[in-house]
Amino acid sequence: MTVTEKIGQRLVGGFPGTEMDGEFIRLVREYKIGNVILFQHNVESNEQLLRLCRSIRELITEETGHRPFITIDQEGGGVTRLPREAVNAPGAMALAATGDPENAYRAALLTARELRAFGIDFNLAPSVDVNCNPDNPIIGVRSFGDTPEQVERYALAALRGYRDGGVLCSAKHFPGHGDTAMDTHVSLPCIDKPLEALEEMELRPFRAMIAAGCPAVTTTHILFPRLEPEKLPATMSRRIITGLLRERMGFRGLIISDCMEMDAIARYYGSAQGTVKAMAAGVDLVFISHTASVLEETARAVRAAAEAGTLSMEELDASVEKILAYKDQVGGAPAGTPGRPEAMAEAAALRRASIVLARGTIPALGERPFFCGCADYRAGLVSSQAGGAAAFPDFMAARLGGKGLVTGKDPGPEEVRAAAEAARGSTSLFVCTYNGHLFPGQRALVQALGALGIPMAQVALRNPYDLRCAPEGAAAVAAWDYAGPTLEALVPILSGEAIPTGRMPVALEGRV
């Protein structure tokens, strides 16, 4: 292999549409880009996704001599990329709410089989972050819980499911993204913990996954000054990637980066030079997920570093050899059929089993139920794009009768007063929150409706920590994501026809 071909095997690129554009095709041909990441904007239907994966596989195999990794963030819940007609399982915390780790296995197996049916061979999941900060804006329900023991149990079950389903998976985000109040997509967080504290919390699930043979670990763009005295995020730190993960923890699989176009890297270090540092730190696969010009600049920068001796050719060769060995384990033509009715039914059953009545009693609808709350919006750059579900108030009013009122995601005082006035005279109140713990307007709305003295339920459509603001006497329901299948699962619960069976996987005292 030429140096260009070797570098291409270590890069993962993306493109903006539902088929490869001319610029991305040129980069594959010129720079031998060996791998692809797919997002929701690349997907519109089962048939289209099958065609797209086939064309990716054919182009990259022809140009590089090796099958590509086709990667995707199909975590489930709020982070899904597959079309609506495909199987989309619940997310991590929702699965933990079922109380049975085998449900994490079933969800991962369903997901792996669905990905294989499209020809996708590498799922960038699960998150094994311990969500020990309830105000974390980007992890939250993507985590299996707020204790390392809980995360371990469910993550190990998910690992078995992906393995049995025949796809690679990756434990993320090393060494831990659970204790931040910032999002690495838009900022550069810092976790100022010593190694001993990380060993007790953040690193425990990673150790368990490594011991169980997890094939890959994804790094995070967070500063850990007690581990890396230079101002370098974990992805770019040789002390953390090689010293801690490789040598101290004994990981021998693939180390992959989070996207290097995230602001934590792009704004502070530059994506291209950040990639050079990441490879020098020991990262095998580096993601430039969106922009063709950035991918080209990065390929050139890595080539220049290799020629200048900044990057070790011995380490470059060893990394490529490892990547090709994992490619030999997976890939090839699609296997199975996407969107099988029995698989869709199993995913729906898992979703129903995840809904939790955290406290209180669901009020009877009565003749004039009132449904209120914000519409779906994109909760974070990693989240699924908004628009996948009808607004909770409109959906429920159409299905259960009564009146629906949609508010903004952070309603101001006038909007809150207007909503409370519109709710007067109702026989029951149902208010949804969506990351309400981060928006004072949502919390004010809940309190204003609660003050009316009408039987009420609050439904948290993402983080259960929203339920901390539920008024005394109100029912508190955790539903985990704002998606059409979840709203459908809520209908029989809010109508009183079904009783939620899920259990809260986070500590209630002082939180919910």
Side-chain angles (χ1 to χ4, degrees), residues 56 111 220 250 432 447:
I56 291 169
T111 299
T220 189
C432 78
Q447 294 303 315

Side-chain angles (χ1 to χ4, degrees), residues 216-238:
V217 168
T218 302
T219 67
T220 189
H221 309 325
I222 294 176
L223 298 173
F224 291 84
R226 304 286 190 97
L227 306 185
E228 173 54 82
E230 304 296 327
K231 194 173 181 181
L232 293 173
T235 300
M236 296 165 54
S237 166
R238 190 169 179 93

Side-chain angles (χ1 to χ4, degrees), residues 122-476:
F122 202 150
N123 194 20
L124 306 174
S127 166
V128 303
D129 300 298
V130 182
N131 197 64
C132 47
N133 181 351
D135 290 327
N136 192 315
I138 195 62
I139 301 300
V141 291
R142 298 169 64 198
S143 165
F144 288 109
D146 64 358
T147 67
E149 296 84 3
Q150 171 120 341
V151 173
E152 265 184 45
R153 287 196 303 273
Y154 285 84
L156 290 172
L159 173 60
R160 288 193 293 111
Y162 289 125
R163 181 180 291 142
D164 290 352
V167 302
L168 297 181
C169 67
S170 185
K172 60 187 186 186
H173 307 80
F174 184 84
H177 202 327
D179 195 12
T180 71
M182 295 189 292
D183 177 3
T184 48
H185 291 84
V186 295
S187 60
L188 180 60
C190 176
I191 296 179
D192 192 18
K193 287 184 176 181
L195 179 60
E196 294 75 16
L198 292 169
E199 289 278 13
E200 292 178 5
M201 179 71 73
E202 283 86 350
L203 294 180
R204 283 183 56 181
F206 286 102
R207 284 196 179 278
M209 293 289 275
I210 290 169
C214 187
V217 168
T218 302
T219 67
T220 189
H221 309 325
I222 294 176
L223 298 173
F224 291 84
R226 304 286 190 97
L227 306 185
E228 173 54 82
E230 304 296 327
K231 194 173 181 181
L232 293 173
T235 300
M236 296 165 54
S237 166
R238 190 169 179 93
R239 288 184 178 92
I240 294 175
I241 301 305
T242 295
L244 176 58
L245 182 54
R246 284 278 188 229
E247 296 173 357
R248 183 183 178 98
M249 298 179 69
F251 181 60
R252 296 292 175 260
L254 291 171
I255 299 177
I256 68 179
S257 78
D258 216 336
C259 178
M260 302 300 283
E261 291 188 75
M262 292 161 62
D263 276 359
I265 299 296
R267 186 195 303 176
Y268 298 96
Y269 306 94
S271 299
Q273 291 308 312
T275 297
V276 172
K277 290 287 287 185
M279 288 188 179
V283 176
D284 297 300
L285 280 172
V286 181
F287 284 67
I288 304 292
S289 303
H290 303 287
T291 311
S293 60
V294 177
L295 180 57
E296 182 168 22
E297 179 190 5
T298 298
R300 289 177 173 176
V302 175
R303 173 64 185 260
E307 291 175 342
T310 306
L311 288 177
S312 160
M313 287 302 299
E314 182 180 355
E315 291 186 3
L316 175 61
D317 288 344
S319 184
V320 171
E321 184 178 352
K322 184 185 305 177
I323 289 166
L324 295 181
Y326 276 100
K327 285 187 175 185
D328 286 342
Q329 296 180 20
V330 294
T337 303
R340 294 177 298 115
E342 61 271 27
M344 300 282 276
E346 187 173 355
L350 289 172
R351 197 175 298 270
R352 288 192 299 271
S354 74
I355 296 176
V356 177
L357 178 59
R359 69 170 183 263
T361 303
I362 304 292
L365 290 171
E367 296 180 355
R368 297 179 305 280
F370 183 81
F371 303 93
C372 189
C374 66
D376 186 20
Y377 66 90
R378 197 172 188 193
L381 292 182
V382 72
S383 302
S384 303
Q385 295 168 3
F392 171 90
D394 293 341
F395 182 94
M396 292 302 168
R399 295 294 299 274
L400 299 175
K403 182 178 179 180
L405 177 65
V406 180
T407 70
K409 70 179 181 180
D410 193 15
E414 285 300 322
E415 191 174 6
V416 170
R417 279 193 290 271
E421 189 61 33
R424 291 186 187 278
S426 301
T427 52
S428 57
L429 301 179
F430 298 85
V431 57
C432 78
T433 55
Y434 188 41
N435 270 2
H437 65 299
L438 302 178
F439 293 102
Q442 288 191 42
R443 300 196 297 274
L445 175 65
V446 170
Q447 294 303 315
L449 293 176
L452 297 176
I454 301 169
M456 175 176 163
Q458 179 185 343
V459 182
L461 291 175
R462 194 173 190 267
N463 285 322
Y465 311 111
D466 290 7
L467 299 175
R468 291 175 296 182
C469 70
E472 186 175 352

Side-chain angles (χ1 to χ4, degrees), residues 468-482:
R468 291 175 296 182
C469 70
E472 186 175 352
V477 178
W480 314 111
D481 63 62
Y482 207 141

